[in-house]
Amino acid sequence: MYLTTVLGNLPIILAFSSDSHLHTPMYFFLSNLSLVDICFTSTTVPKMLVNIQTQKKVITYEGCITQMYFFLLFAGLDNFLLTVMAYDRFVAICHPLHYMVIMNPRLCGLLVLVSWIMSALYALLQSLIVSGLSFCADLEIPHFFCELNQMVQLACSDTFLNNMVMYFGVVLLGGGPLAGILYSYSKIVSSIRGISSAHGKYKAFSTCASHLSVVSLFYCASLGVYLSSAATQSSHSSATASVMYAVVTPMLNPFIYSLKNKDIKEALKRFVGMTGIKGPVVLGMRKCP
């Protein structure tokens, strides 16, 4: 599954970087999402595979805090990038004549930069607060990675501040982007309903169907993790549910986006063709008899 995630997302990044036809806002955000998905999975799965291979399920305290920081960083980036992509689809469908003016390269770069800054600050805040907690000896985390909620629950000191920051982050960084996505799609639906022809409605909806599928998968998996941990209080069920959004979702994203995307397929064909002809080329002139 890890190799599928890397080998599925990497071609999207290569296609965007090598083909000027894909240098549009939609594919710019998609290539960033693919990069984040590779990094998101790489924060947990390689360490888990090493633990399985060596039969030593041990991680240092510093390594645990570092893993938690990068997991929160890339999870937040996934969340923000999906919101930015929803806004991109909103502008493309509701304001098609002004699309390239509104979604200019400066704004696209600024949206991605702000997403990185907000995610990094939130991950840093959570990591610093957790590092201030005191833990008992022989700490055992009932999870396949250093998950924030499990770390807080296992602390021996007061965790009131941690819980407040954690719930505040869920509402602000989870509910805010979700509200933005829902608002964007409510406007998209009302705009599509105003299109008279059936072909026009289908064409408009097909441009955002892949993104809607990825959003549904991401938030349904995240909601499943929350409900399973809140309802059963079982670490095994919580860890199983976490695999859905930490491993399965990044693996499926590239297939959802590129399965019916002709632009990406054509770009990959051109990229493979370019790499295939690289090599010594012999030039010569044949004398006429």
Side-chain angles (χ1 to χ4, degrees):
M1 291 173 69
Y2 177 66
L3 288 176
T4 304
T5 302
V6 175
L7 297 177
N9 284 285
L10 191 60
I12 296 178
I13 301 172
L14 294 175
F16 172 79
S17 60
S18 63
D19 198 321
S20 59
H21 295 89
L22 297 183
H23 290 178
T24 61
M26 182 178 74
Y27 292 113
F28 172 69
F29 296 133
L30 179 58
S31 63
N32 276 273
L33 182 67
S34 296
L35 175 63
V36 169
D37 279 340
I38 292 175
C39 298
F40 184 40
T41 313
S42 299
T43 58
T44 56
V45 177
K47 176 60 179 173
M48 179 176 65
L49 294 175
V50 170
N51 290 343
I52 295 173
Q53 182 66 26
T54 60
Q55 294 297 312
K56 294 179 181 179
K57 302 178 182 180
V58 178
I59 188 170
T60 63
Y61 176 76
E62 294 79 9
C64 192
I65 296 296
T66 303
Q67 186 186 60
M68 185 178 65
Y69 169 79
F70 283 107
F71 183 85
L72 292 173
L73 169 66
F74 293 120
L77 274 170
D78 249 344
N79 196 22
F80 285 124
L81 285 175
L82 289 175
T83 308
V84 169
M85 293 172 77
Y87 175 71
D88 172 69
R89 293 299 84 204
F90 159 72
V91 176
I93 294 175
C94 299
H95 305 283
L97 298 179
H98 302 93
Y99 175 68
M100 295 308 297
V101 177
I102 297 174
M103 301 301 296
N104 56 75
R106 183 175 179 275
L107 178 63
C108 294
L110 187 62
L111 288 172
V112 173
L113 179 63
V114 170
S115 299
W116 273 93
I117 292 174
M118 291 185 66
S119 300
L121 289 177
Y122 173 71
L124 181 62
L125 176 63
Q126 290 285 13
S127 301
L128 289 175
I129 295 177
V130 171
S131 63
L133 295 174
S134 58
F135 297 94
C136 303
D138 299 326
L139 184 65
E140 182 178 345
I141 304 171
H143 218 293
F144 69 93
F145 68 99
C146 294
E147 199 259 340
L148 174 63
N149 189 40
Q150 294 290 340
M151 291 284 290
V152 173
Q153 289 181 3
L154 293 172
C156 296
S157 55
D158 182 47
T159 60
F160 175 77
L161 179 61
N162 297 80
N163 290 323
M164 290 300 295
V165 173
M166 191 161 49
Y167 293 138
F168 178 76
V170 169
V171 173
L172 185 63
L173 303 182
L178 180 59
I181 292 173
L182 293 176
Y183 175 78
S184 296
Y185 273 101
S186 67
K187 292 294 184 181
I188 288 173
V189 170
S190 62
S191 180
I192 292 177
R193 289 179 62 184
I195 300 175
S196 57
S197 65
H199 177 71
K201 289 182 178 179
Y202 173 78
K203 187 177 180 180
F205 180 75
S206 63
T207 61
C208 56
S210 298
H211 177 260
L212 189 60
S213 301
V214 171
V215 167
S216 302
L217 183 64
F218 180 82
Y219 280 101
C220 287
S222 302
L223 185 63
V225 172
Y226 173 77
L227 292 177
S228 64
S229 60
T232 62
Q233 296 295 327
S234 171
S235 59
H236 178 73
S237 61
S238 177
T240 304
S242 296
V243 173
M244 283 300 297
Y245 79 92
V247 181
V248 177
T249 302
M251 181 186 70
L252 294 179
N253 283 355
F255 297 101
I256 294 174
Y257 274 108
S258 60
L259 194 61
K260 294 184 178 181
N261 194 308
K262 294 181 180 179
D263 293 335
I264 293 180
K265 289 181 179 179
E266 291 297 324
L268 288 175
K269 287 179 182 178
R270 286 192 288 268
F271 177 77
V272 172
M274 288 170 58
T275 56
I277 64 173
K278 286 182 178 179
V281 179
V282 179
L283 298 177
M285 295 181 65
R286 188 173 60 180
K287 292 183 179 180
C288 297

